């Protein structure tokens, strides 16, 4: 019956809420009804704010309980041999000889940059950001690239872009930019790999 499943859902939602917040109490009846409505009727990308910095996010295939802004991070500078660890991903860089690496057609989480590319930075994407995708001639909105890459709804706001100066050159795991094209004169490359520690793509 509906009441039977409501009891099971309430217990499940209470457990998730308690796990995220650390509090011993569960959801009020009103809060439970809002979460249940999000599960049964909510569209992908919809969010619900609960007390104690708990956020419930509806993805295409699931509902996630998480701490509000648990994925937040800010701009960082990257060194050619180094790494950066952020809330839901990490990036590792290493200088390599071009002739010792298989630089053609790397997997989406790996990219090779010209050794002479200059200073590199990493930041969350912003509204209005554009990048010229590899092989293209005109820029495309990063928001469109992220959407086409099926990035999980709850990670879209904080998804990273790799930059040199003010130019975006890679949307990690999604699409490289034309600016990373390696010329024949380059003897050194920078291998960069991103590792995501959450379900990043839907």
């Amino acid at each position: 019956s509906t009441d039977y499943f409501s009891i099971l859902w309430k217990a499940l939602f209470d457990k998730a809420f308690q796990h995220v917040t650390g509090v011993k109490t569960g959801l009020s009846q009103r809060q439970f009804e809002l979460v249940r409505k999000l599960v049964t009727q909510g569209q992908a990308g919809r969010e619900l704010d609960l007390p104690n910095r708990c956020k419930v996010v509806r993805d295409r295939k699931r509902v996630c309980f998480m701490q509000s802004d648990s994925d937040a991070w800010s701009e960082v500078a990257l060194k050619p041999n180094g790494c950066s660890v952020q809330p839901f991903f990490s990036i590792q860089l290493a200088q390599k000889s071009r002739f010792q690496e298989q630089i053609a057609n790397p997997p989406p989480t790996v990219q090779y940059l010209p050794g002479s590319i200059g200073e590199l930075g990493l930041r969350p994407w912003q509204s209005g950001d554009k990048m010229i995708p590899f092989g293209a001639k005109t820029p495309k909105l990063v928001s469109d690239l992220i959407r086409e890459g099926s990035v999980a709804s709850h990670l879209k706001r904080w998804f990273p872009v790799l930059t040199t100066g003010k130019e975006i050159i890679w949307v990690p795991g999604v699409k490289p930019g034309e600016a990373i094209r390696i010329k024949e004169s380059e003897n050194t490359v920078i291998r960069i790999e991103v590792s995501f520690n959450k379900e990043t793509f839907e």
Side-chain angles (χ1 to χ4, degrees):
S1 70
T2 303
D3 289 343
Y4 175 75
F5 284 109
S6 291
I7 293 170
L8 292 178
W9 282 22
K10 180 70 163 64
L12 181 65
F13 296 160
D14 282 350
K15 196 80 171 176
F17 178 74
Q18 291 163 351
H19 178 74
V20 168
T21 62
V23 301
K24 295 182 179 179
T25 56
L27 301 176
S28 68
Q29 189 61 32
R30 178 181 170 277
Q31 291 162 351
F32 166 67
E33 292 297 340
L34 289 172
V35 176
R36 184 166 69 170
K37 186 175 181 180
L38 185 69
V39 172
T40 57
Q41 302 174 26
Q43 295 177 327
R46 291 290 299 274
E47 298 183 2
L48 174 65
D49 289 316
L50 296 176
N52 301 95
R53 294 184 61 243
C54 180
K55 179 172 69 173
V56 188
V57 181
R58 177 79 157 87
D59 276 356
R60 292 175 189 169
K61 299 178 182 177
R62 61 190 182 276
V63 171
C64 303
F65 283 71
M66 64 187 68
Q67 281 190 334
S68 298
D69 289 339
S70 61
D71 298 317
W73 62 286
S74 56
E75 185 172 4
V76 292
L78 298 176
K79 296 180 179 179
N81 283 296
C83 69
S84 178
V85 179
Q86 301 303 332
F88 65 94
F89 70 94
S90 62
I91 279 192
Q92 183 85 34
L93 295 89
Q95 283 186 315
K96 302 278 187 177
S97 166
R98 173 182 182 166
F99 308 106
Q100 294 176 337
E101 294 290 307
Q102 179 61 46
I103 65 174
N105 301 316
T109 54
V110 174
Q111 203 52 248
Y112 287 94
L113 315 177
S116 59
I117 195 147
E119 293 186 2
L120 296 170
L122 195 68
R123 65 169 173 80
W125 75 281
Q126 300 167 359
S127 178
D129 277 346
K130 293 182 179 181
M131 181 185 79
I132 300 177
F134 194 85
K137 296 188 182 302
T138 56
K140 192 163 186 175
L141 284 169
V142 169
S143 57
D144 289 343
L145 295 172
I146 288 174
R147 177 178 48 79
E148 292 167 6
S150 298
V151 172
S153 299
H154 66 282
L155 296 180
K156 286 180 179 177
R157 179 182 175 191
W158 299 108
F159 206 75
V161 291
L162 183 70
T163 63
T164 180
K166 294 184 177 181
E167 184 178 12
I168 296 173
I169 59 174
W170 187 34
V171 182
V174 175
K175 184 76 73 174
E178 177 61 27
I180 67 163
R181 186 179 291 277
I182 297 171
K183 297 178 181 177
E184 289 297 328
S185 57
E186 294 278 355
N187 293 325
T188 303
V189 294
I190 299 171
R191 184 185 190 274
I192 181 165
E193 181 170 7
V194 61
S195 299
F196 295 103
N197 54 17
K198 291 186 178 182
E199 287 190 46
T200 309
F201 303 100
E202 297 178 339

